[in-house]
Amino acid sequence: MMAVDSSLCSCGSKKKYRDCCEPYHKGLRKTCHSPLEVLKSRYSAYCHDDGEYVLSSWEEHFRPKVSAKKMIREIKSMKYTGLKIHGVVYTDEAGENAQIYYTVRYRVGTAFGESSSISNFVKKDGVWYYTDDVAKELVPFMTAAFKAESVSEEENKIPVQV
């Protein structure tokens, strides 16, 4: 059996957490390159119970009015076990609005599950933010738009700024 490096980032980049999502979580790096940076760094924040980052990566007009402590309590109710990104679609000509179709795997107690979502992202003042999710009942009807825009393994990696 192969040993798993527990210091690898949860986002699936195969990089060490300290070289991948941790700089986002500590405020040392902004999500300037793509909505994928936001999605993956938010997923990693959920894995690390980082309610502060989850809230800060939410666009201010959509951000829930809850404390980071309450966000952490909600986050801790689930153990996140995997992220698969199916595709990204830019929804305007300027490339400042995007949607990402993805599936998250999780565990609650001894039960395992998965949930597919389409999330909206916006670029504001040069930084990408999460806004909200498309209504769950619309997800099955919207997934065809993502087939042509599927994410390659290379695109699925978060670019690292130095």
Side-chain angles (χ1 to χ4, degrees):
M1 189 163 130
M2 186 180 226
V4 176
D5 184 349
S6 63
S7 66
L8 290 179
C9 192
S10 307
C11 77
S13 68
K14 298 184 179 162
K15 296 178 184 172
K16 295 212 180 271
Y17 173 66
R18 70 172 181 259
D19 299 327
C20 192
C21 288
E22 185 178 42
Y24 295 106
H25 299 165
K26 289 187 172 185
L28 303 174
R29 188 180 309 144
K30 298 287 183 192
T31 53
C32 302
H33 291 98
S34 73
L36 279 174
E37 281 182 320
V38 182
L39 178 70
K40 293 180 90 175
S41 61
R42 280 175 62 86
Y43 173 80
S44 181
Y46 276 96
C47 293
H48 288 271
D49 300 330
D50 188 343
E52 291 280 344
Y53 182 78
V54 170
L55 289 171
S56 72
S57 61
W58 226 310
E59 200 281 330
E60 65 183 325
H61 295 98
F62 292 87
R63 188 178 303 141
K65 296 188 182 347
V66 299
S67 69
K69 284 184 180 183
K70 182 172 182 185
M71 180 66 68
I72 290 168
R73 278 195 304 274
E74 291 177 22
I75 290 170
K76 284 187 174 192
S77 68
M78 297 174 90
K79 167 88 171 124
Y80 297 88
T81 60
L83 171 67
K84 178 168 177 55
I85 299 168
H86 305 291
V88 179
V89 173
Y90 289 87
T91 58
D92 66 333
E93 287 186 26
E96 295 185 344
N97 290 280
Q99 292 181 321
I100 300 177
Y101 172 40
Y102 62 97
T103 300
V104 172
R105 289 182 302 283
Y106 57 87
R107 186 182 82 218
V108 178
T110 58
F112 289 87
E114 69 177 39
S115 176
S116 293
S117 298
I118 297 174
S119 292
N120 296 305
F121 298 84
V122 64
K123 190 174 188 179
K124 190 173 168 186
D125 299 325
V127 178
W128 282 95
Y129 294 93
Y130 165 78
T131 59
D132 58 355
D133 285 349
V134 170
K136 290 277 185 201
E137 57 272 8
L138 297 178
V139 170
F141 301 105
M142 296 179 66
T143 57
F146 294 90
K147 299 232 186 289
E149 302 293 332
S150 64
V151 178
S152 71
E153 281 301 311
E154 193 56 38
E155 290 174 309
N156 213 344
K157 296 178 183 165
I158 295 178
V160 174
Q161 289 179 312
V162 179

